[in-house]
């Protein structure tokens, strides 16, 4: 999991566990206890998917197993929430946005019933039959009812926080890519422009030097040739005729 997911999940799980132990467990409600930790796992699984939901569920369940009031074997609730988080993550919408609130409410009811049955089943396998004395039917009904009443106030908030973290990460990565590409584009454009200007300057400088050299060389050459002609001979039909030289 990414760092932002780990941090957000850890904070939400710790807060939910503290609230559940210090507040919800002391309400003395008939039947089951409202499972705020389960709702946190469901909200994160609907955003992170089945893999993230399984990891968050395992970590949250293990933390609940090790909390001071726990009176069951360590790893029991971790297994339950890991399975529930994985199954809830399979219900993640492809677009990432929920069209209606019916889907999450159905997931909450199914998760509450499934977690209660799975927890009781694992307890029977390890020799804990407390669910038989309390009444499994009453536990299923009260667990689904309490979680369904608590879900509208928690699940949308948790999903909003998780989705906001995902959107911020995508915006940062796309913004960095755009900045880098823009910098490369500006650099390449500037280098082409500088290259063209340098060629223009070189060509202009060469032309000026050529004209200057040609003018000076031509003037000097013309002056020397005129002086030599005056001293040594005369020009006839474009040819220089030197004194003292016989024509062949």
């Amino acid at each position: 999991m990414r760092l932002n997911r780990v941090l957000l999940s850890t904070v939400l799980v710790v807060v939910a566990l503290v609230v559940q132990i210090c507040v919800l467990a002391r309400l003395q409600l008939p039947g089951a206890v409202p499972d705020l930790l389960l709702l946190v796992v469901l909200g994160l699984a609907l955003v992170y998917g089945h893999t993230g939901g399984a990891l968050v569920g395992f970590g949250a369940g293990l933390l609940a197993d090790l909390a001071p009031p726990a009176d069951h074997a360590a790893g029991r609730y971790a297994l339950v929430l890991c399975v529930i988080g994985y199954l809830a993550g399979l219900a993640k919408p492809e677009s990432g946005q929920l069209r209606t609130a019916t889907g999450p409410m159905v997931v909450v009811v199914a998760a509450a019933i499934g977690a209660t049955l799975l927890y009781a089943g694992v307890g029977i396998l390890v020799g804990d039959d407390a669910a038989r004395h309390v009444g499994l039917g009453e536990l299923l009904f009260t667990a689904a009812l309490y979680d369904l009443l608590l879900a509208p106030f928690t699940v949308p908030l948790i999903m909003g926080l998780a989705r906001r973290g995902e959107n911020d990460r995508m915006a940062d990565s796309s913004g960095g890519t755009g900045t880098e590409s823009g910098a490369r584009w500006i650099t390449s454009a500037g280098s082409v422009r500088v290259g063209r200007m340098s060629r223009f300057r070189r060509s202009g400088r060469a032309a000026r030097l050529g004209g200057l050299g040609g003018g000076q060389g031509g003037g000097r050459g013309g002056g020397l040739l005129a002086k030599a002609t005056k001293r040594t001979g005369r020009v006839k039909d474009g040819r220089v005729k030197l004194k003292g030289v016989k024509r062949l």
Side-chain angles (χ1 to χ4, degrees):
M1 294 181 66
R2 301 181 181 89
L3 181 59
N4 58 341
R5 290 186 176 185
V6 174
L7 294 177
L8 179 62
S9 302
T10 303
V11 172
L12 292 177
V13 166
V14 171
V15 172
L17 184 60
V18 171
V19 173
Q20 183 168 341
I21 293 175
C22 299
V23 178
L24 298 179
R26 298 182 179 184
L27 294 178
Q28 300 298 326
L29 296 175
V33 177
D35 199 343
L36 183 60
L37 199 61
L38 175 64
L39 298 179
V40 171
V41 173
L42 293 179
L44 294 177
L46 290 175
V47 178
Y48 295 158
H50 58 279
T51 303
L55 294 176
V56 173
F58 179 80
L62 186 61
L63 187 61
D65 291 333
L66 299 178
D71 56 353
H72 55 269
R76 180 177 172 182
Y77 203 47
L79 175 62
V80 172
L81 288 186
C82 180
V83 175
I84 296 299
Y86 180 84
L87 295 178
L90 296 177
K92 173 188 175 182
E94 296 181 357
S95 60
Q97 299 289 337
L98 297 174
R99 297 180 179 179
T100 61
T102 305
M105 295 302 104
V106 173
V107 172
V108 168
V109 174
I113 296 175
T116 303
L117 290 175
L118 187 58
Y119 185 84
V122 175
I124 293 174
L125 292 178
V126 298
D128 185 6
D129 56 351
R132 295 180 179 178
H133 302 287
V134 176
L136 186 58
E138 183 181 359
L139 285 177
L140 292 175
F141 177 76
T142 54
L145 179 61
Y146 296 155
D147 292 346
L148 186 60
L149 293 176
L150 191 60
F153 305 99
T154 56
V155 175
L157 177 61
I158 295 169
M159 293 182 64
L161 292 175
R163 192 178 293 115
R164 181 177 180 180
E166 293 294 299
N167 293 335
D168 291 343
R169 181 186 62 81
M170 294 177 63
D172 292 340
S173 61
S174 62
T177 304
T179 303
E180 293 176 358
S181 61
R184 288 195 295 268
W185 183 84
I186 293 173
T187 304
S188 60
S191 62
V192 171
R193 185 177 299 175
V194 171
R196 291 180 178 177
M197 293 300 293
S198 63
R199 289 198 295 271
F200 291 158
R201 291 175 180 175
R202 290 176 182 175
S203 59
R205 186 180 299 175
R208 289 195 299 270
L209 291 177
L212 181 60
Q216 293 177 354
R220 291 179 181 179
L224 293 176
L225 181 59
K227 293 179 181 180
T229 303
K230 291 179 180 180
R231 291 179 182 179
T232 58
R234 53 192 176 84
V235 180
K236 185 179 182 180
D237 297 333
R239 292 177 295 181
V240 178
K241 191 172 184 180
L242 302 178
K243 295 181 179 181
V245 180
K246 295 181 180 182
R247 295 180 59 187
L248 297 179

